[in-house]
Amino acid sequence: MGSKDLATGQRRMWRLSLLAFALATVLLLVAKWSWIDAQARAVVVLSPVLETPVLTPVVEAVTGEPRLEETSVAGNTALVARPRGEGPWPAIFFVNGVVTQGRELPEVRRLAEGLARAGYLVVVPDLPGLRRGEIRPQTVHETLEVARDISERPDARGGMVGLIGVSTGATLALLAAEDGKVVEKLSIVAGVAPYTDVRTVLSTATTGYYRGDDGELVPYKADPFLAGAITQSLVSTLPPSRHRDVLLDELEEVDRLRPEFLDELRGMGPDARSVAELLANRDPNRFDYLYVSLPDRVRAKLEELSPLANDGRVNIPVEMISGPHDKYFPLSDTRAVVYIAPQARVTVSEALDHVELNPSVRDLPALLLIDGFVVRSLRQARQ
């Protein structure tokens, strides 16, 4: 090869190197811009939740007022929040937890408005049972139906939906993502403080203990509300009858574990008697025996509410976050999501008390963890 050919080859190599460098630079800038964009949207979403005296008014001034509509989605009453302007927009299905106010809870409405200001179409349905204080198989079924319905909306960009859930709503989001037909329509599952194993919830609520990964009993003091919610959910798994429905109505108004209620439950027949015995039990060593003694149909319905009990896997990005000492579900139950979701990421933040933020200056590192969770979730929901 002559010197002229060598020089020509070197110039060509330089051009290719410069082109490769330029391309890499552009890709890096685009990647960084997507993160900057997601961070800006996270600020918009978090500002109404934190209700900061300076930031919130500024965000409201520079973003478009969302359009709110009360409507029906897949037969479920729902709040729909749309951004200003013309769609389609990336869609988010906010899956609420067990809360009597449902979509009308002020914190839920503020979050929906924040997401809409950030450029997302948001749907917040009242799923069956949640406002009554229970979760049941019908709740799971309607979660799937709502997700399908949202994906088919003309204002949902790309026919994709991001699921964002809180507490039992995060559990419902995981259950929906295990469905092979629905998961193809999902961009992400993001959740705050879910449970993944219904046995852990039952054991903790009734005995104050659960079994760790090593099989040893672990003490755990949960908020008394958990016992009420799990009682309501467990009774709803019994065969339909007028007596059962009367008891469910009563459970919304009275102490759910009072002796008189358990006596009424025992009088409803063998199935109800086994449920009453499990609810009355305080000995953690007896829990496993009482659980397997439940009628097959009751136990099967319970396991429909347990992501770990199903054979499905969640093969999309999953973001979960929880506080280190949640008042309802042990942190280990949130961490267990990795067993069913290979792409799961679990964040633990001291600034989180179940689904409520406890921000302060001292909690800046903990707040940054929450910010990272929101940024990653919002970025993925726009993919």
Side-chain angles (χ1 to χ4, degrees):
M1 178 181 291
S3 59
K4 184 177 181 180
D5 292 333
L6 181 60
T8 301
Q10 287 176 334
R11 284 196 299 272
R12 189 173 296 148
M13 288 296 294
W14 272 107
R15 290 194 192 101
L16 289 172
S17 298
L18 286 171
L19 181 61
F21 177 75
L23 180 60
T25 302
V26 169
L27 290 174
L28 183 60
L29 287 173
V30 170
K32 285 187 175 179
W33 174 250
S34 71
W35 283 104
I36 294 170
D37 176 74
Q39 178 62 77
R41 294 179 193 278
V43 171
V44 173
V45 172
L46 288 172
S47 64
V49 177
L50 294 171
E51 293 185 292
T52 52
V54 176
L55 180 60
T56 300
V58 171
V59 167
E60 290 178 350
V62 299
T63 57
E65 190 71 24
R67 294 168 292 172
L68 305 182
E69 177 189 7
E70 293 287 336
T71 185
S72 177
V73 178
N76 298 276
T77 304
L79 168 69
V80 175
R82 295 182 181 85
R84 182 176 61 182
E86 297 299 322
W89 305 279
I92 286 178
F93 172 5
F94 180 77
V95 195
N96 217 343
V98 173
V99 55
T100 55
Q101 289 179 267
R103 72 189 190 285
E104 297 170 353
L105 187 72
E107 292 83 353
V108 170
R109 294 184 74 88
R110 285 200 298 270
L111 179 59
E113 290 178 15
L115 286 164
R117 286 181 182 276
Y120 297 86
L121 168 70
V122 189
V123 179
V124 189
D126 281 338
L127 297 170
L130 295 182
R131 294 189 70 158
R132 286 174 58 100
E134 66 193 42
I135 174 175
R136 53 183 190 252
Q138 186 190 2
T139 320
V140 180
H141 173 76
E142 289 303 313
T143 304
L144 298 172
E145 292 302 307
V146 170
R148 289 192 189 97
D149 192 291
I150 297 173
S151 72
E152 294 169 359
R153 292 175 63 102
D155 51 359
R157 192 176 75 187
M160 299 296 288
V161 185
L163 297 186
I164 297 180
V166 293
S167 190
T168 50
T171 301
L172 289 167
L174 287 169
L175 289 166
E178 287 184 317
D179 186 279
K181 296 178 181 177
V182 170
V183 72
E184 297 175 354
K185 304 176 185 294
L186 305 181
S187 57
I188 186 172
V189 172
V192 182
Y195 77 82
T196 53
D197 185 356
V198 74
R199 292 179 62 143
T200 297
V201 180
L202 279 168
S203 183
T204 302
T206 55
T207 72
Y209 287 81
Y210 70 95
R211 290 204 179 273
D213 292 338
D214 57 2
E216 295 297 317
L217 288 170
V218 180
Y220 201 85
K221 186 177 181 180
D223 187 285
F225 178 80
L226 180 63
I230 203 63
T231 300
Q232 188 98 350
S233 300
L234 195 49
V235 172
S236 72
T237 66
L238 293 170
S241 70
R242 182 178 177 280
H243 198 170
R244 186 205 68 168
D245 293 342
V246 168
L247 277 181
L248 285 173
D249 289 338
E250 288 180 4
L251 283 171
E252 294 186 62
E253 308 295 335
V254 298
D255 177 5
R256 296 165 179 178
L257 291 180
R258 75 190 197 284
E260 296 84 356
F261 164 73
L262 293 174
D263 288 341
E264 284 186 61
L265 197 57
R266 291 185 181 96
M268 288 175 57
D271 288 3
R273 191 176 306 119
S274 65
V275 168
E277 294 308 314
L278 186 144
L279 289 172
N281 176 56
R282 299 293 176 267
D283 181 356
N285 290 301
R286 292 192 66 226
F287 173 81
D288 289 339
Y289 166 76
L290 292 171
Y291 182 82
V292 298
S293 298
L294 291 172
D296 290 344
R297 56 181 171 271
V298 170
R299 200 166 60 252
K301 286 185 177 181
L302 283 174
E303 292 180 355
E304 287 183 46
L305 312 177
S306 182
L308 290 185
N310 295 319
D311 295 330
R313 290 292 180 268
V314 181
N315 294 313
I316 59 172
V318 171
E319 288 280 349
M320 290 290 151
I321 189 168
S322 183
H325 307 290
D326 190 83
K327 61 183 176 182
Y328 295 123
F329 310 131
L331 177 59
S332 60
D333 220 41
T334 299
R335 290 190 187 280
V337 72
V338 298
Y339 297 131
I340 58 170
Q343 301 180 57
R345 177 170 181 161
V346 178
T347 301
V348 182
S349 173
E350 293 275 357
L352 201 59
D353 180 14
H354 193 53
V355 300
E356 297 178 359
L357 290 176
N358 289 321
S360 73
V361 175
R362 293 176 302 170
D363 289 330
L364 181 59
L367 284 171
L368 289 176
L369 288 172
I370 294 175
D371 176 73
F373 162 79
V374 175
V375 168
R376 292 189 299 274
S377 300
L378 293 180
R379 182 172 181 264
Q380 186 61 41
R382 296 186 71 83
Q383 296 302 310

